[in-house]
Amino acid sequence: MAFHPKTPKRRYISGETHLYLGRQYRLQVIDSNKNEVHYKGRYFELLTDNRAKGEKLMKQWYLQRSKIKFAEFAESLIEKFKNLDVEPSGIYLQDIPTRWGSCTPQGKIILNPELIKAPKACIEYVIVHELCHLIHRDHTQKFIALQAKMMPDWKRWKTKLENLLA
């Protein structure tokens, strides 16, 4: 699944907006002796002793949230695929510059942590897409039919993902 980020380069300054699960949140940068990010429900709070660390701190926070959320979202989807006698060997996160996800021949599903910026259903679409590759390695009609069976509105979420982040 290919993508090319269209979000302008972030500067990690107060007032700037950042996506999380499909919604925009304002960033509040606070000078502090700590280096951490907090999600406050309506905004992100970035505490730092050096504003140049902003990008790294946000990236770490996104990666941490991706691990938690992707596992949570994948759980029920993997259960559905177990009924087809398939199960991934694991779900892994990796910066993939031009893809949302991939599936290895060994059954590993690799997801791009940038997906955490998309709505839940978009993330689920990518997970379903990669789970379908456990059965059909290419994008044949059988693959598309399986994807439609497992997520009937997949086209909607693919389009939303492409319009939002790609």
Side-chain angles (χ1 to χ4, degrees):
M1 286 197 170
F3 88 103
H4 304 285
K6 69 177 177 188
T7 307
K9 179 124 176 75
R10 301 274 136 221
R11 296 183 358 226
Y12 303 92
I13 58 173
S14 288
E16 183 176 61
T17 61
H18 290 262
L19 284 168
Y20 175 58
L21 295 176
R23 300 185 70 192
Q24 293 273 0
Y25 296 93
R26 291 226 178 265
L27 183 65
Q28 183 178 14
V29 180
I30 300 168
D31 292 324
S32 171
N33 60 354
K34 297 178 182 178
N35 286 294
E36 52 196 33
V37 175
H38 300 281
Y39 170 61
K40 296 291 190 171
R42 294 192 317 260
Y43 63 93
F44 288 113
E45 185 178 80
L46 171 66
L47 304 171
T48 184
D49 61 2
N50 178 349
R51 290 179 180 240
K53 294 179 183 176
E55 181 174 8
K56 180 181 176 193
L57 291 168
M58 284 297 293
K59 195 167 187 142
Q60 287 171 343
W61 185 87
Y62 276 130
L63 184 62
Q64 178 188 34
R65 296 306 299 166
S66 296
K67 287 177 186 171
I68 295 165
K69 290 296 187 183
F70 294 175
E72 180 184 305
F73 299 162
E75 190 175 348
S76 65
L77 299 171
I78 290 169
E79 284 302 313
K80 284 171 70 173
F81 276 83
K82 282 182 183 177
N83 294 333
L84 302 173
D85 292 327
V86 293
E87 186 175 356
S89 59
I91 300 223
Y92 302 86
L93 299 178
Q94 181 181 325
D95 282 327
I96 314 169
T98 58
R99 306 183 118 201
W100 292 119
S102 68
C103 180
T104 70
Q106 297 78 28
K108 284 183 181 179
I109 291 181
I110 302 167
L111 300 173
N112 188 328
E114 285 291 304
L115 269 175
I116 197 66
K117 297 174 182 178
K120 178 183 177 187
C122 293
I123 298 166
E124 290 173 333
Y125 154 68
V126 174
I127 294 168
V128 166
H129 183 96
E130 299 310 333
L131 286 167
C132 287
H133 280 309
L134 296 174
I135 298 169
H136 302 289
R137 293 274 166 217
D138 47 19
H139 297 109
T140 60
Q141 275 308 114
K142 288 181 179 180
F143 173 90
I144 300 295
L146 177 60
Q147 185 171 259
K149 176 183 174 189
M150 300 309 271
M151 187 176 204
D153 57 351
W154 71 270
K155 286 181 185 175
R156 173 183 178 205
W157 298 111
K158 178 182 191 272
T159 301
K160 180 141 178 103
L161 179 61
E162 290 169 348
N163 289 336
L164 184 66
L165 297 181

